[in-house]
Amino acid sequence: AASLPMRGGGAGGAAPAAARASATASATAGSRAADDEEDSLLPPEEYRKLVRRASSYASFQLSEGVRPSQYYVGRPVVCLTILLVCTVMLVLEMWVNDWKFEDFRVNPTFGPSVQTLLTLGAKRTDLILEYGQWYRLIAPVFLHGGIIHYAFNMLGLYSIGFPLERQFGSLAIGYIFMLSGVMGTVMSAIFSPRSVGIGASGGIFGIFGSAWAELFQNWSLYHGEAWKSLLQLTFATVLNLMLGLMPFLDNFAHLGGFLTGILCGLGVLVSSRYTRYGELKQRKCYQISLQVLSVIVTPLFITVAIFVLYFGVGEGNKASEWCVWCDYLSCVPFPPGDKPWWTCDPCMDAGLRGTNLPNGTTLLVCPDEREVLAPTPNRLDDDSLLALCHVHCL
């Protein structure tokens, strides 16, 4: 009889403890559930620090009620530097060109002459291979054909490059831009050796390509908005490829930079994923596989391209002859008809060279690098060289 109260009392004492534990567990679970609904388990500042590492920039940009400015991880130093350098170089181009625009049919982007672009380092394959001017693989990355070319490139840089750099850092975006820009110039030198090539387009397309890579690598972080981002990237890429059909805007550089950007982006633009409670998730198998693919294929692609440029564009072994219709990928007269707004005359965009000889003739170097003798004109200028080219080279 005495033990019953104690047993009862023991049970009665244990019951409140169990009830308290159960209530505490329920409260914790309820609190956690409530926190799940509110999407916050930490103080605001700590949560923001966690979120900065949690997923891709675009997933926050597209999430309801989220202001992207809260999740920036750094200033876009590289993109701002690219913008500044390209602006200075465009002003320098116009200064060297005596502040005059080239004829619209020759350069429809409202920019300087081809000779001015060559003076400032534009790409032409013979000058790279025969004269050892290898700086022409880098200098074109910061040159533009004109104001329209510059405006579209800088718009692409601002809309895609700036947010990517804020999310993934300056080192990653600088690496992607420069390598894509140089590889774009290399591809242009291979497939369009006679044309003068310029533009940050290779680097900008590299950033476009890296945005595609980032989308695929971090697809699960877009929370149902992946297809929207896919459509936006498709529109931006197609629009800029169409602009590449204008003179001086080289789609070979665009495509080379785009492919390089995809390869680089697969390797470096992978967001770390965290649980709601701050625990780092393992990367998915397909993410690791794509990173390994990037590490293997990127240096292989660079090596093959440099090899083809050095050994495949010599006399009688031009890589551009592998694809006789590829010229239409880079320049198309528009609109079709007898009076297009611009032409794709090889004499106009090749940067002709002529030298007056003592015997009253001019040694003219044609776009295909043939040297021909022509009667010396009254004045050896761009117009007379163009007329001689039409008569003796085409």
Side-chain angles (χ1 to χ4, degrees), residues 54-265:
S55 65
S56 70
Y57 165 77
S59 68
F60 296 120
Q61 186 180 35
L62 298 173
S63 297
E64 183 178 357
V66 173
R67 295 184 60 188
S69 59
Q70 295 175 346
Y71 305 104
Y72 293 165
V73 297
R75 296 183 182 278
V77 176
V78 168
C79 288
L80 287 171
T81 302
I82 294 169
L83 176 62
L84 176 62
V85 174
C86 287
T87 302
V88 170
M89 291 307 298
L90 181 64
V91 173
L92 181 61
E93 289 174 25
M94 298 311 301
W95 178 71
V96 173
N97 209 58
D98 295 328
W99 306 106
K100 297 177 182 178
F101 292 129
E102 186 72 350
D103 184 87
F104 185 80
R105 297 190 67 217
V106 178
N107 185 353
T109 65
F110 298 101
S113 67
V114 64
Q115 194 57 49
T116 294
L117 295 173
L118 280 173
T119 300
L120 293 176
K123 175 235 86 185
R124 201 175 68 192
T125 305
D126 65 299
L127 298 178
I128 297 172
L129 296 181
E130 298 178 18
Y131 294 90
Q133 298 177 5
W134 292 95
Y135 68 89
R136 294 184 183 273
L137 292 176
I138 300 176
V141 175
F142 301 102
L143 297 175
H144 286 88
I147 294 175
I148 294 178
H149 188 197
Y150 167 85
F152 275 96
N153 272 348
M154 295 304 102
L155 178 62
L157 180 69
Y158 177 78
S159 60
I160 297 181
F162 275 61
L164 281 177
E165 184 175 354
R166 288 185 178 113
Q167 174 62 22
F168 293 99
S170 298
L171 184 62
I173 298 305
Y175 158 67
I176 291 170
F177 177 83
M178 285 306 303
L179 187 58
S180 299
V182 172
M183 289 306 298
T185 305
V186 170
M187 295 299 287
S188 174
I190 291 172
F191 287 99
S192 188
R194 295 189 295 270
S195 67
V196 173
I198 40 84
S201 303
I204 299 298
F205 262 84
I207 292 177
F208 283 171
S210 70
W212 282 85
E214 190 273 337
L215 175 63
F216 293 135
Q217 281 284 39
N218 305 306
W219 185 274
S220 62
L221 298 175
Y222 278 76
H223 305 302
E225 296 287 349
W227 290 105
K228 179 179 177 181
S229 296
L230 184 64
L231 290 175
Q232 292 172 342
L233 279 176
T234 300
F235 175 77
T237 304
V238 171
L239 175 62
N240 281 274
L241 284 174
M242 291 178 64
L243 289 173
L245 300 177
M246 300 171 70
F248 297 154
L249 311 190
D250 193 343
N251 264 342
F252 294 113
H254 294 171
L255 294 172
F258 185 74
L259 180 58
T260 306
I262 290 178
L263 292 173
C264 294

Side-chain angles (χ1 to χ4, degrees), residues 357-386:
L357 301 179
N359 59 2
T361 61
T362 295
L363 179 65
L364 177 67
V365 181
C366 295
D368 60 0
E369 296 306 312
R370 288 184 296 116
E371 295 183 349
V372 298
L373 291 175
T376 299
N378 294 330
R379 185 176 62 177
L380 191 63
D381 54 16
D382 290 343
D383 291 336
S384 61
L385 283 176
L386 185 61

Side-chain angles (χ1 to χ4, degrees), residues 190 193 307-322:
I190 291 172
F307 181 86
V308 171
L309 173 63
Y310 192 78
F311 294 103
V313 195
E315 185 65 30
N317 188 29
K318 293 182 173 60
S320 57
E321 294 176 358
W322 303 344

